[in-house]
Amino acid sequence: HSCCFEIKDDVLVSFDSRFYKQIGNKHKWRDRLIWEDRKWIEYTTHSNVKTFVLKNDDDLIGYFELIYDNRKFETEIAYFGILEDYFGKKYGGYLLSEAIKISFEAGSKRIWVHTCSLDHKNGIKNYLARGMKIFKSEKITLSN
């Protein structure tokens, strides 16, 4: 059965950087590619950052990172995705529902995420289907 579990401590950096690179490659996630282990450790061990992994038996399926802002009672879903082998199998919807549920259980009153046209084509539909609303839309041009 599928379940989400929080990743902590010594395995955190390898999980987080692995998922970031594997999932993000297809969607042009670039900002962390230059991070060295020290930067990954600094980020992933921050008390307001939590990483969760979706696992089905022994298969790793996807992950999400939550960044809590306890002063504002809000959570950013900083990164979210599933491995390509699991596309079209309803894991994305389940994983997003878990991210939202965990955020509310932590006391957040607002949960938000940045998305763009480079993300999976079902991403925006997934967010809207779970009660999220479009706050702002903008057009930007990426340079190579």
Side-chain angles (χ1 to χ4, degrees):
H1 296 292
S2 301
C3 66
C4 279
F5 60 95
E6 184 179 354
I7 301 294
K8 297 181 180 182
D9 304 326
D10 56 338
V11 295
L12 183 57
V13 171
S14 62
F15 269 96
D16 218 36
S17 64
R18 174 183 163 200
F19 274 123
Y20 178 87
K21 290 171 185 169
Q22 284 184 307
I23 293 169
N25 185 49
K26 184 176 183 88
H27 305 291
K28 301 198 182 333
W29 296 353
R30 297 178 180 163
D31 56 323
R32 296 185 186 175
L33 293 178
I34 60 169
W35 284 14
E36 296 179 9
D37 284 348
R38 185 175 51 82
K39 178 70 175 172
W40 278 104
I41 291 166
E42 181 182 298
Y43 174 77
T44 57
T45 58
H46 191 282
S47 62
N48 288 358
V49 176
K50 304 288 182 211
T51 300
F52 295 83
V53 171
L54 178 62
K55 187 175 174 185
N56 188 15
D57 296 324
D58 290 331
D59 296 329
L60 297 174
I61 295 168
Y63 89 124
F64 59 87
E65 286 178 10
L66 301 178
I67 302 176
Y68 298 101
D69 184 334
N70 298 325
R71 291 172 292 118
K72 294 182 179 178
F73 297 99
E74 65 182 38
T75 300
E76 176 187 3
I77 301 172
Y79 283 92
F80 170 91
I82 58 173
L83 296 170
E84 198 167 2
D85 290 348
Y86 299 97
F87 284 6
K89 297 179 181 177
K90 308 287 184 206
Y91 287 113
Y94 173 79
L95 191 61
L96 181 58
S97 293
E98 288 297 301
I100 292 169
K101 181 178 88 173
I102 290 167
S103 297
F104 279 128
E105 287 173 350
S108 292
K109 304 291 183 212
R110 177 178 180 254
I111 294 114
W112 58 279
V113 63
H114 283 122
T115 190
C116 74
S117 58
L118 296 173
D119 287 343
H120 190 277
K121 63 183 172 89
N122 292 332
I124 192 76
K125 289 186 262 184
N126 196 5
Y127 300 131
L128 294 172
R130 276 147 192 86
M132 297 183 105
K133 301 196 180 343
I134 296 173
F135 173 75
K136 178 178 159 185
S137 181
E138 63 186 354
K139 204 174 233 190
I140 61 171
T141 303
L142 295 177
S143 59
N144 290 340

